[in-house]
Amino acid sequence: MNYYKILILLLASILVVSCKTRERMVYFQGETGSKDTGISNYTPVFKSDDFLSVLVTSDDPESAVPFNFPAKLIISTSGAMGGYETGRPFQTGYLVDEAGYVELPVIGKIYVKDKSRTQVVQELTAIYKGYLRNPVVNIQIQNFKVTVLGDVAKPGTFTIPNERITLLEALGIAGDLRITGTRQNVLVIRDRNGVRTQYRIDLTTQEVLSSPVYYLEQNDVVYVEPNLAARTQGTFWRTATPTIMSIASFVFAGIVLYVNNRP
């Protein structure tokens, strides 16, 4: 009977550990189903230090040439990791200055800070109509990037081609969290107008879906903290193991000598 009791206790312990492991590891636990998160209308806006490409075309291509960079100066880069770049942005474009302006050929300075791409395109199209027939304006942020650090498979800084990325997509680009990554305390650092704000997200609940950092902004930093076991392995055991082994060897040798010399 004692053996049966021990077996039952062992199985119960395994079930408890399995449930705890699921709570620590599985994403988006809780009620499922459709839910309005209130963040589906997120639209990125231009900020100081954004590096913009502005391409102007019209029914008469020759007349649009003065409004663009010379073609020989345009540098193209090949996409990496499915379009997500880890290198430098294009070398041609327009930098949004600290005051929020970009200076464009012919028309001069235009204020773009805190405006969406659609707003700026509409404003520029209205201006270019004074110079061109049926102008078409295309704008893209060349240095829209996010950084993912910590206990992920492929940490790094990634340039995003579509200027719209979620926290989950960023973690996916970085290869997802390692098994030792802490899913309950993912840190997102955001710098907006010189003010740095920190957000803590629990990926094992559905709070991430309604979080203000579900959509990442330019230059956001995501940090995944290693769990206690990984931190211990990386610090204490790495430095203390040689000492512990030496002490254990000394104690073991003393026990062997004592046993062998015992009358």
Side-chain angles (χ1 to χ4, degrees), residues 164-213:
R164 184 181 172 106
I165 185 171
T166 68
L167 172 60
L168 304 178
E169 290 171 329
L171 292 173
I173 296 170
D176 201 4
L177 282 70
R178 297 182 187 274
I179 194 68
T180 53
T182 302
R183 286 152 175 79
Q184 296 84 0
N185 196 29
V186 175
L187 173 66
V188 178
I189 302 173
R190 173 166 295 169
D191 188 334
R192 183 181 290 171
N193 297 325
V195 178
R196 292 181 179 84
T197 306
Q198 297 184 8
Y199 301 85
R200 297 281 180 174
I201 303 300
D202 185 352
L203 295 179
T204 63
T205 69
Q206 297 192 29
E207 70 169 279
V208 63
L209 302 178
S210 57
S211 166
V213 293

mmCIF file of all heavy atoms in Angstrom, residues 164-213:
data_model
loop_
_atom_site.group_PDB
_atom_site.id
_atom_site.type_symbol
_atom_site.label_atom_id
_atom_site.label_comp_id
_atom_site.label_asym_id
_atom_site.label_seq_id
_atom_site.Cartn_x
_atom_site.Cartn_y
_atom_site.Cartn_z
ATOM 1 N N ARG A 164 4.913 49.419 -39.772
ATOM 2 C CA ARG A 164 3.836 49.016 -38.868
ATOM 3 C C ARG A 164 4.131 47.594 -38.420
ATOM 4 O O ARG A 164 4.075 46.657 -39.211
ATOM 5 C CB ARG A 164 2.487 49.096 -39.577
ATOM 6 C CG ARG A 164 1.276 48.777 -38.686
ATOM 7 C CD ARG A 164 0.017 48.868 -39.530
ATOM 8 N NE ARG A 164 -1.164 48.410 -38.810
ATOM 9 C CZ ARG A 164 -2.108 49.228 -38.334
ATOM 10 N NH1 ARG A 164 -1.986 50.526 -38.495
ATOM 11 N NH2 ARG A 164 -3.163 48.749 -37.713
ATOM 12 N N ILE A 165 4.434 47.434 -37.133
ATOM 13 C CA ILE A 165 4.812 46.122 -36.625
ATOM 14 C C ILE A 165 4.306 45.973 -35.197
ATOM 15 O O ILE A 165 4.302 46.932 -34.418
ATOM 16 C CB ILE A 165 6.346 45.926 -36.692
ATOM 17 C CG1 ILE A 165 6.712 44.495 -36.276
ATOM 18 C CG2 ILE A 165 7.081 46.961 -35.841
ATOM 19 C CD1 ILE A 165 8.162 44.159 -36.527
ATOM 20 N N THR A 166 3.854 44.791 -34.865
ATOM 21 C CA THR A 166 3.386 44.512 -33.517
ATOM 22 C C THR A 166 4.524 43.951 -32.669
ATOM 23 O O THR A 166 5.541 43.481 -33.185
ATOM 24 C CB THR A 166 2.225 43.508 -33.520
ATOM 25 O OG1 THR A 166 2.717 42.220 -33.945
ATOM 26 C CG2 THR A 166 1.115 43.967 -34.454
ATOM 27 N N LEU A 167 4.307 43.978 -31.358
ATOM 28 C CA LEU A 167 5.288 43.390 -30.438
ATOM 29 C C LEU A 167 5.492 41.917 -30.743
ATOM 30 O O LEU A 167 6.629 41.417 -30.717
ATOM 31 C CB LEU A 167 4.790 43.575 -28.997
ATOM 32 C CG LEU A 167 5.567 42.865 -27.892
ATOM 33 C CD1 LEU A 167 7.011 43.325 -27.853
ATOM 34 C CD2 LEU A 167 4.896 43.084 -26.539
ATOM 35 N N LEU A 168 4.427 41.214 -31.073
ATOM 36 C CA LEU A 168 4.527 39.784 -31.367
ATOM 37 C C LEU A 168 5.328 39.544 -32.645
ATOM 38 O O LEU A 168 6.128 38.598 -32.720
ATOM 39 C CB LEU A 168 3.130 39.181 -31.498
ATOM 40 C CG LEU A 168 2.214 39.394 -30.289
ATOM 41 C CD1 LEU A 168 0.843 38.789 -30.553
ATOM 42 C CD2 LEU A 168 2.830 38.816 -29.035
ATOM 43 N N GLU A 169 5.122 40.382 -33.649
ATOM 44 C CA GLU A 169 5.888 40.238 -34.889
ATOM 45 C C GLU A 169 7.370 40.505 -34.640
ATOM 46 O O GLU A 169 8.239 39.819 -35.200
ATOM 47 C CB GLU A 169 5.350 41.189 -35.950
ATOM 48 C CG GLU A 169 3.971 40.801 -36.478
ATOM 49 C CD GLU A 169 3.375 41.871 -37.363
ATOM 50 O OE1 GLU A 169 3.656 43.064 -37.159
ATOM 51 O OE2 GLU A 169 2.602 41.514 -38.277
ATOM 52 N N ALA A 170 7.678 41.505 -33.811
ATOM 53 C CA ALA A 170 9.074 41.808 -33.499
ATOM 54 C C ALA A 170 9.749 40.630 -32.807
ATOM 55 O O ALA A 170 10.897 40.274 -33.121
ATOM 56 C CB ALA A 170 9.162 43.061 -32.632
ATOM 57 N N LEU A 171 9.045 40.010 -31.868
ATOM 58 C CA LEU A 171 9.591 38.828 -31.197
ATOM 59 C C LEU A 171 9.762 37.680 -32.191
ATOM 60 O O LEU A 171 10.723 36.909 -32.102
ATOM 61 C CB LEU A 171 8.679 38.404 -30.051
ATOM 62 C CG LEU A 171 8.621 39.369 -28.859
ATOM 63 C CD1 LEU A 171 7.553 38.925 -27.860
ATOM 64 C CD2 LEU A 171 9.977 39.467 -28.160
ATOM 65 N N GLY A 172 8.834 37.580 -33.148
ATOM 66 C CA GLY A 172 8.965 36.549 -34.176
ATOM 67 C C GLY A 172 10.182 36.769 -35.062
ATOM 68 O O GLY A 172 10.895 35.819 -35.407
ATOM 69 N N ILE A 173 10.439 38.029 -35.440
ATOM 70 C CA ILE A 173 11.622 38.333 -36.242
ATOM 71 C C ILE A 173 12.897 37.951 -35.489
ATOM 72 O O ILE A 173 13.875 37.487 -36.081
ATOM 73 C CB ILE A 173 11.650 39.829 -36.604
ATOM 74 C CG1 ILE A 173 10.467 40.184 -37.488
ATOM 75 C CG2 ILE A 173 12.953 40.199 -37.320
ATOM 76 C CD1 ILE A 173 10.296 41.671 -37.679
ATOM 77 N N ALA A 174 12.863 38.140 -34.170
ATOM 78 C CA ALA A 174 14.030 37.809 -33.336
ATOM 79 C C ALA A 174 14.086 36.327 -32.984
ATOM 80 O O ALA A 174 14.913 35.930 -32.151
ATOM 81 C CB ALA A 174 14.005 38.638 -32.057
ATOM 82 N N GLY A 175 13.242 35.522 -33.594
ATOM 83 C CA GLY A 175 13.311 34.078 -33.379
ATOM 84 C C GLY A 175 12.537 33.575 -32.180
ATOM 85 O O GLY A 175 12.697 32.423 -31.777
ATOM 86 N N ASP A 176 11.694 34.424 -31.568
ATOM 87 C CA ASP A 176 10.890 34.086 -30.402
ATOM 88 C C ASP A 176 11.765 33.957 -29.148
ATOM 89 O O ASP A 176 12.994 33.910 -29.222
ATOM 90 C CB ASP A 176 10.088 32.808 -30.624
ATOM 91 C CG ASP A 176 8.885 32.694 -29.683
ATOM 92 O OD1 ASP A 176 8.642 33.640 -28.909
ATOM 93 O OD2 ASP A 176 8.199 31.661 -29.717
ATOM 94 N N LEU A 177 11.107 33.907 -27.998
ATOM 95 C CA LEU A 177 11.819 33.775 -26.737
ATOM 96 C C LEU A 177 12.440 32.387 -26.630
ATOM 97 O O LEU A 177 11.874 31.393 -27.105
ATOM 98 C CB LEU A 177 10.864 33.980 -25.559
ATOM 99 C CG LEU A 177 10.460 35.407 -25.200
ATOM 100 C CD1 LEU A 177 9.554 36.018 -26.257
ATOM 101 C CD2 LEU A 177 9.782 35.443 -23.841
ATOM 102 N N ARG A 178 13.589 32.319 -25.987
ATOM 103 C CA ARG A 178 14.155 31.021 -25.647
ATOM 104 C C ARG A 178 13.300 30.397 -24.554
ATOM 105 O O ARG A 178 12.490 31.064 -23.909
ATOM 106 C CB ARG A 178 15.602 31.170 -25.174
ATOM 107 C CG ARG A 178 16.556 31.728 -26.227
ATOM 108 C CD ARG A 178 17.964 31.793 -25.656
ATOM 109 N NE ARG A 178 18.873 32.471 -26.549
ATOM 110 C CZ ARG A 178 19.531 31.888 -27.551
ATOM 111 N NH1 ARG A 178 19.354 30.592 -27.765
ATOM 112 N NH2 ARG A 178 20.344 32.581 -28.318
ATOM 113 N N ILE A 179 13.517 29.113 -24.304
ATOM 114 C CA ILE A 179 12.746 28.417 -23.291
ATOM 115 C C ILE A 179 12.971 29.026 -21.915
ATOM 116 O O ILE A 179 12.117 28.949 -21.023
ATOM 117 C CB ILE A 179 13.108 26.913 -23.285
ATOM 118 C CG1 ILE A 179 12.079 26.103 -22.495
ATOM 119 C CG2 ILE A 179 14.501 26.695 -22.732
ATOM 120 C CD1 ILE A 179 10.736 26.045 -23.142
ATOM 121 N N THR A 180 14.124 29.699 -21.729
ATOM 122 C CA THR A 180 14.458 30.297 -20.440
ATOM 123 C C THR A 180 14.034 31.757 -20.336
ATOM 124 O O THR A 180 14.301 32.394 -19.320
ATOM 125 C CB THR A 180 15.977 30.203 -20.194
ATOM 126 O OG1 THR A 180 16.671 30.759 -21.323
ATOM 127 C CG2 THR A 180 16.420 28.761 -20.011
ATOM 128 N N GLY A 181 13.394 32.303 -21.382
ATOM 129 C CA GLY A 181 12.956 33.693 -21.346
ATOM 130 C C GLY A 181 11.741 33.877 -20.442
ATOM 131 O O GLY A 181 10.844 33.039 -20.424
ATOM 132 N N THR A 182 11.700 34.968 -19.688
ATOM 133 C CA THR A 182 10.577 35.253 -18.795
ATOM 134 C C THR A 182 9.440 35.878 -19.581
ATOM 135 O O THR A 182 9.523 37.034 -19.998
ATOM 136 C CB THR A 182 11.011 36.197 -17.664
ATOM 137 O OG1 THR A 182 12.094 35.610 -16.938
ATOM 138 C CG2 THR A 182 9.858 36.459 -16.706
ATOM 139 N N ARG A 183 8.382 35.137 -19.774
ATOM 140 C CA ARG A 183 7.257 35.597 -20.584
ATOM 141 C C ARG A 183 6.310 36.517 -19.814
ATOM 142 O O ARG A 183 5.500 37.204 -20.420
ATOM 143 C CB ARG A 183 6.496 34.377 -21.112
ATOM 144 C CG ARG A 183 7.254 33.662 -22.224
ATOM 145 C CD ARG A 183 6.937 32.185 -22.288
ATOM 146 N NE ARG A 183 7.595 31.571 -23.430
ATOM 147 C CZ ARG A 183 8.881 31.231 -23.467
ATOM 148 N NH1 ARG A 183 9.663 31.451 -22.412
ATOM 149 N NH2 ARG A 183 9.409 30.684 -24.540
ATOM 150 N N GLN A 184 6.423 36.522 -18.495
ATOM 151 C CA GLN A 184 5.505 37.323 -17.684
ATOM 152 C C GLN A 184 5.981 38.752 -17.467
ATOM 153 O O GLN A 184 5.270 39.541 -16.842
ATOM 154 C CB GLN A 184 5.312 36.668 -16.297
ATOM 155 C CG GLN A 184 4.647 35.312 -16.331
ATOM 156 C CD GLN A 184 5.617 34.175 -16.608
ATOM 157 O OE1 GLN A 184 6.820 34.385 -16.778
ATOM 158 N NE2 GLN A 184 5.098 32.963 -16.666
ATOM 159 N N ASN A 185 7.152 39.116 -17.967
ATOM 160 C CA ASN A 185 7.697 40.429 -17.628
ATOM 161 C C ASN A 185 8.543 40.990 -18.773
ATOM 162 O O ASN A 185 9.698 41.373 -18.581
ATOM 163 C CB ASN A 185 8.536 40.320 -16.348
ATOM 164 C CG ASN A 185 8.814 41.668 -15.718
ATOM 165 O OD1 ASN A 185 8.027 42.601 -15.853
ATOM 166 N ND2 ASN A 185 9.936 41.786 -15.042
ATOM 167 N N VAL A 186 7.970 41.028 -19.974
ATOM 168 C CA VAL A 186 8.679 41.572 -21.131
ATOM 169 C C VAL A 186 8.646 43.101 -21.050
ATOM 170 O O VAL A 186 7.596 43.705 -20.845
ATOM 171 C CB VAL A 186 8.046 41.085 -22.445
ATOM 172 C CG1 VAL A 186 8.706 41.749 -23.642
ATOM 173 C CG2 VAL A 186 8.152 39.566 -22.544
ATOM 174 N N LEU A 187 9.800 43.711 -21.212
ATOM 175 C CA LEU A 187 9.940 45.162 -21.075
ATOM 176 C C LEU A 187 9.984 45.821 -22.454
ATOM 177 O O LEU A 187 10.715 45.371 -23.339
ATOM 178 C CB LEU A 187 11.210 45.497 -20.300
ATOM 179 C CG LEU A 187 11.614 46.974 -20.210
ATOM 180 C CD1 LEU A 187 10.584 47.756 -19.401
ATOM 181 C CD2 LEU A 187 13.002 47.107 -19.588
ATOM 182 N N VAL A 188 9.190 46.890 -22.624
ATOM 183 C CA VAL A 188 9.248 47.715 -23.831
ATOM 184 C C VAL A 188 9.603 49.140 -23.406
ATOM 185 O O VAL A 188 8.912 49.721 -22.563
ATOM 186 C CB VAL A 188 7.919 47.706 -24.609
ATOM 187 C CG1 VAL A 188 8.011 48.625 -25.824
ATOM 188 C CG2 VAL A 188 7.557 46.290 -25.038
ATOM 189 N N ILE A 189 10.673 49.676 -23.980
ATOM 190 C CA ILE A 189 11.116 51.038 -23.671
ATOM 191 C C ILE A 189 10.803 51.914 -24.877
ATOM 192 O O ILE A 189 11.219 51.617 -25.993
ATOM 193 C CB ILE A 189 12.621 51.082 -23.354
ATOM 194 C CG1 ILE A 189 12.937 50.154 -22.188
ATOM 195 C CG2 ILE A 189 13.067 52.503 -23.030
ATOM 196 C CD1 ILE A 189 14.423 50.011 -21.916
ATOM 197 N N ARG A 190 10.090 53.008 -24.632
ATOM 198 C CA ARG A 190 9.666 53.903 -25.713
ATOM 199 C C ARG A 190 10.138 55.324 -25.425
ATOM 200 O O ARG A 190 9.953 55.837 -24.319
ATOM 201 C CB ARG A 190 8.143 53.855 -25.860
ATOM 202 C CG ARG A 190 7.560 54.863 -26.844
ATOM 203 C CD ARG A 190 6.130 54.513 -27.167
ATOM 204 N NE ARG A 190 6.058 53.234 -27.873
ATOM 205 C CZ ARG A 190 4.926 52.583 -28.101
ATOM 206 N NH1 ARG A 190 3.778 53.068 -27.651
ATOM 207 N NH2 ARG A 190 4.942 51.438 -28.767
ATOM 208 N N ASP A 191 10.739 55.928 -26.432
ATOM 209 C CA ASP A 191 11.202 57.317 -26.319
ATOM 210 C C ASP A 191 10.324 58.173 -27.216
ATOM 211 O O ASP A 191 10.361 58.061 -28.442
ATOM 212 C CB ASP A 191 12.667 57.414 -26.751
ATOM 213 C CG ASP A 191 13.265 58.785 -26.465
ATOM 214 O OD1 ASP A 191 12.496 59.765 -26.403
ATOM 215 O OD2 ASP A 191 14.486 58.876 -26.302
ATOM 216 N N ARG A 192 9.537 59.034 -26.591
ATOM 217 C CA ARG A 192 8.634 59.901 -27.356
ATOM 218 C C ARG A 192 8.874 61.347 -26.944
ATOM 219 O O ARG A 192 8.650 61.708 -25.799
ATOM 220 C CB ARG A 192 7.181 59.502 -27.122
ATOM 221 C CG ARG A 192 6.179 60.307 -27.921
ATOM 222 C CD ARG A 192 4.773 59.868 -27.619
ATOM 223 N NE ARG A 192 4.484 58.534 -28.145
ATOM 224 C CZ ARG A 192 3.373 57.856 -27.855
ATOM 225 N NH1 ARG A 192 2.469 58.387 -27.043
ATOM 226 N NH2 ARG A 192 3.176 56.658 -28.372
ATOM 227 N N ASN A 193 9.387 62.138 -27.885
ATOM 228 C CA ASN A 193 9.683 63.554 -27.630
ATOM 229 C C ASN A 193 10.620 63.739 -26.435
ATOM 230 O O ASN A 193 10.454 64.642 -25.612
ATOM 231 C CB ASN A 193 8.391 64.339 -27.408
ATOM 232 C CG ASN A 193 7.496 64.339 -28.633
ATOM 233 O OD1 ASN A 193 7.985 64.367 -29.763
ATOM 234 N ND2 ASN A 193 6.190 64.299 -28.418
ATOM 235 N N GLY A 194 11.610 62.845 -26.335
ATOM 236 C CA GLY A 194 12.602 62.959 -25.274
ATOM 237 C C GLY A 194 12.188 62.365 -23.947
ATOM 238 O O GLY A 194 12.976 62.370 -22.998
ATOM 239 N N VAL A 195 10.957 61.846 -23.845
ATOM 240 C CA VAL A 195 10.478 61.235 -22.603
ATOM 241 C C VAL A 195 10.472 59.717 -22.771
ATOM 242 O O VAL A 195 9.791 59.185 -23.655
ATOM 243 C CB VAL A 195 9.059 61.737 -22.253
ATOM 244 C CG1 VAL A 195 8.554 61.058 -20.983
ATOM 245 C CG2 VAL A 195 9.054 63.248 -22.093
ATOM 246 N N ARG A 196 11.234 59.028 -21.914
ATOM 247 C CA ARG A 196 11.315 57.573 -21.991
ATOM 248 C C ARG A 196 10.290 56.946 -21.053
ATOM 249 O O ARG A 196 10.232 57.267 -19.875
ATOM 250 C CB ARG A 196 12.723 57.105 -21.637
ATOM 251 C CG ARG A 196 13.763 57.488 -22.667
ATOM 252 C CD ARG A 196 15.147 56.991 -22.303
ATOM 253 N NE ARG A 196 16.125 57.350 -23.322
ATOM 254 C CZ ARG A 196 16.739 58.513 -23.383
ATOM 255 N NH1 ARG A 196 16.489 59.438 -22.469
ATOM 256 N NH2 ARG A 196 17.610 58.756 -24.339
ATOM 257 N N THR A 197 9.506 56.029 -21.605
ATOM 258 C CA THR A 197 8.467 55.342 -20.841
ATOM 259 C C THR A 197 8.709 53.840 -20.916
ATOM 260 O O THR A 197 9.059 53.314 -21.978
ATOM 261 C CB THR A 197 7.066 55.670 -21.392
ATOM 262 O OG1 THR A 197 6.900 57.090 -21.448
ATOM 263 C CG2 THR A 197 5.983 55.077 -20.509
ATOM 264 N N GLN A 198 8.526 53.167 -19.781
ATOM 265 C CA GLN A 198 8.708 51.722 -19.722
ATOM 266 C C GLN A 198 7.357 51.033 -19.533
ATOM 267 O O GLN A 198 6.533 51.473 -18.738
ATOM 268 C CB GLN A 198 9.653 51.336 -18.584
ATOM 269 C CG GLN A 198 11.057 51.879 -18.738
ATOM 270 C CD GLN A 198 11.986 51.390 -17.650
ATOM 271 O OE1 GLN A 198 11.625 50.526 -16.851
ATOM 272 N NE2 GLN A 198 13.196 51.934 -17.606
ATOM 273 N N TYR A 199 7.166 49.949 -20.282
ATOM 274 C CA TYR A 199 5.948 49.153 -20.177
ATOM 275 C C TYR A 199 6.338 47.705 -19.880
ATOM 276 O O TYR A 199 7.294 47.179 -20.464
ATOM 277 C CB TYR A 199 5.150 49.191 -21.484
ATOM 278 C CG TYR A 199 4.731 50.577 -21.932
ATOM 279 C CD1 TYR A 199 5.586 51.383 -22.677
ATOM 280 C CD2 TYR A 199 3.470 51.077 -21.616
ATOM 281 C CE1 TYR A 199 5.194 52.653 -23.088
ATOM 282 C CE2 TYR A 199 3.064 52.340 -22.040
ATOM 283 C CZ TYR A 199 3.940 53.114 -22.763
ATOM 284 O OH TYR A 199 3.549 54.367 -23.178
ATOM 285 N N ARG A 200 5.609 47.069 -18.973
ATOM 286 C CA ARG A 200 5.833 45.666 -18.643
ATOM 287 C C ARG A 200 4.641 44.855 -19.158
ATOM 288 O O ARG A 200 3.487 45.151 -18.849
ATOM 289 C CB ARG A 200 5.969 45.477 -17.137
ATOM 290 C CG ARG A 200 7.169 46.206 -16.533
ATOM 291 C CD ARG A 200 8.455 45.447 -16.759
ATOM 292 N NE ARG A 200 9.610 46.147 -16.176
ATOM 293 C CZ ARG A 200 10.835 45.631 -16.144
ATOM 294 N NH1 ARG A 200 11.072 44.440 -16.668
ATOM 295 N NH2 ARG A 200 11.827 46.319 -15.609
ATOM 296 N N ILE A 201 4.928 43.815 -19.933
ATOM 297 C CA ILE A 201 3.883 43.037 -20.584
ATOM 298 C C ILE A 201 3.995 41.567 -20.182
ATOM 299 O O ILE A 201 5.091 40.998 -20.171
ATOM 300 C CB ILE A 201 3.999 43.149 -22.118
ATOM 301 C CG1 ILE A 201 3.928 44.614 -22.543
ATOM 302 C CG2 ILE A 201 2.889 42.347 -22.803
ATOM 303 C CD1 ILE A 201 2.653 45.305 -22.164
ATOM 304 N N ASP A 202 2.861 40.962 -19.871
ATOM 305 C CA ASP A 202 2.786 39.533 -19.563
ATOM 306 C C ASP A 202 2.245 38.806 -20.789
ATOM 307 O O ASP A 202 1.064 38.890 -21.112
ATOM 308 C CB ASP A 202 1.875 39.309 -18.350
ATOM 309 C CG ASP A 202 1.859 37.850 -17.906
ATOM 310 O OD1 ASP A 202 2.417 36.995 -18.619
ATOM 311 O OD2 ASP A 202 1.282 37.569 -16.832
ATOM 312 N N LEU A 203 3.113 38.088 -21.474
ATOM 313 C CA LEU A 203 2.710 37.399 -22.701
ATOM 314 C C LEU A 203 1.836 36.183 -22.434
ATOM 315 O O LEU A 203 1.214 35.661 -23.360
ATOM 316 C CB LEU A 203 3.942 36.966 -23.493
ATOM 317 C CG LEU A 203 4.836 38.073 -24.047
ATOM 318 C CD1 LEU A 203 6.025 37.475 -24.780
ATOM 319 C CD2 LEU A 203 4.067 39.001 -24.970
ATOM 320 N N THR A 204 1.804 35.711 -21.188
ATOM 321 C CA THR A 204 0.983 34.543 -20.880
ATOM 322 C C THR A 204 -0.477 34.914 -20.658
ATOM 323 O O THR A 204 -1.307 34.033 -20.453
ATOM 324 C CB THR A 204 1.514 33.809 -19.639
ATOM 325 O OG1 THR A 204 1.421 34.676 -18.493
ATOM 326 C CG2 THR A 204 2.967 33.397 -19.834
ATOM 327 N N THR A 205 -0.798 36.202 -20.668
ATOM 328 C CA THR A 205 -2.184 36.648 -20.581
ATOM 329 C C THR A 205 -2.534 37.389 -21.868
ATOM 330 O O THR A 205 -1.669 37.651 -22.708
ATOM 331 C CB THR A 205 -2.398 37.585 -19.374
ATOM 332 O OG1 THR A 205 -1.719 38.831 -19.620
ATOM 333 C CG2 THR A 205 -1.853 36.958 -18.100
ATOM 334 N N GLN A 206 -3.788 37.774 -21.986
ATOM 335 C CA GLN A 206 -4.228 38.463 -23.188
ATOM 336 C C GLN A 206 -4.098 39.977 -23.087
ATOM 337 O O GLN A 206 -4.558 40.704 -23.962
ATOM 338 C CB GLN A 206 -5.676 38.081 -23.501
ATOM 339 C CG GLN A 206 -5.835 36.603 -23.807
ATOM 340 C CD GLN A 206 -7.182 36.265 -24.388
ATOM 341 O OE1 GLN A 206 -7.812 37.075 -25.055
ATOM 342 N NE2 GLN A 206 -7.640 35.048 -24.158
ATOM 343 N N GLU A 207 -3.448 40.459 -22.021
ATOM 344 C CA GLU A 207 -3.284 41.903 -21.867
ATOM 345 C C GLU A 207 -2.441 42.503 -22.985
ATOM 346 O O GLU A 207 -2.578 43.679 -23.318
ATOM 347 C CB GLU A 207 -2.637 42.232 -20.525
ATOM 348 C CG GLU A 207 -1.170 41.834 -20.424
ATOM 349 C CD GLU A 207 -0.486 42.408 -19.193
ATOM 350 O OE1 GLU A 207 -0.093 43.575 -19.245
ATOM 351 O OE2 GLU A 207 -0.360 41.675 -18.212
ATOM 352 N N VAL A 208 -1.572 41.685 -23.581
ATOM 353 C CA VAL A 208 -0.722 42.198 -24.645
ATOM 354 C C VAL A 208 -1.553 42.684 -25.820
ATOM 355 O O VAL A 208 -1.175 43.634 -26.527
ATOM 356 C CB VAL A 208 0.285 41.108 -25.097
ATOM 357 C CG1 VAL A 208 -0.420 39.911 -25.679
ATOM 358 C CG2 VAL A 208 1.271 41.677 -26.110
ATOM 359 N N LEU A 209 -2.712 42.083 -26.053
ATOM 360 C CA LEU A 209 -3.539 42.426 -27.208
ATOM 361 C C LEU A 209 -4.180 43.804 -27.086
ATOM 362 O O LEU A 209 -4.588 44.398 -28.082
ATOM 363 C CB LEU A 209 -4.626 41.361 -27.407
ATOM 364 C CG LEU A 209 -4.112 39.924 -27.606
ATOM 365 C CD1 LEU A 209 -5.272 38.959 -27.730
ATOM 366 C CD2 LEU A 209 -3.198 39.838 -28.814
ATOM 367 N N SER A 210 -4.282 44.319 -25.861
ATOM 368 C CA SER A 210 -4.850 45.653 -25.646
ATOM 369 C C SER A 210 -3.825 46.617 -25.071
ATOM 370 O O SER A 210 -4.175 47.703 -24.613
ATOM 371 C CB SER A 210 -6.059 45.561 -24.699
ATOM 372 O OG SER A 210 -5.699 44.965 -23.472
ATOM 373 N N SER A 211 -2.566 46.240 -25.113
ATOM 374 C CA SER A 211 -1.515 47.077 -24.544
ATOM 375 C C SER A 211 -1.201 48.265 -25.455
ATOM 376 O O SER A 211 -1.310 48.163 -26.685
ATOM 377 C CB SER A 211 -0.251 46.239 -24.345
ATOM 378 O OG SER A 211 0.867 47.059 -24.102
ATOM 379 N N PRO A 212 -0.771 49.403 -24.886
ATOM 380 C CA PRO A 212 -0.359 50.543 -25.725
ATOM 381 C C PRO A 212 0.906 50.264 -26.531
ATOM 382 O O PRO A 212 1.240 51.047 -27.419
ATOM 383 C CB PRO A 212 -0.122 51.665 -24.696
ATOM 384 C CG PRO A 212 0.094 50.966 -23.403
ATOM 385 C CD PRO A 212 -0.742 49.735 -23.450
ATOM 386 N N VAL A 213 1.592 49.163 -26.227
ATOM 387 C CA VAL A 213 2.789 48.813 -27.006
ATOM 388 C C VAL A 213 2.543 47.579 -27.870
ATOM 389 O O VAL A 213 3.496 46.948 -28.338
ATOM 390 C CB VAL A 213 4.015 48.590 -26.088
ATOM 391 C CG1 VAL A 213 4.430 49.877 -25.430
ATOM 392 C CG2 VAL A 213 3.733 47.521 -25.031
#
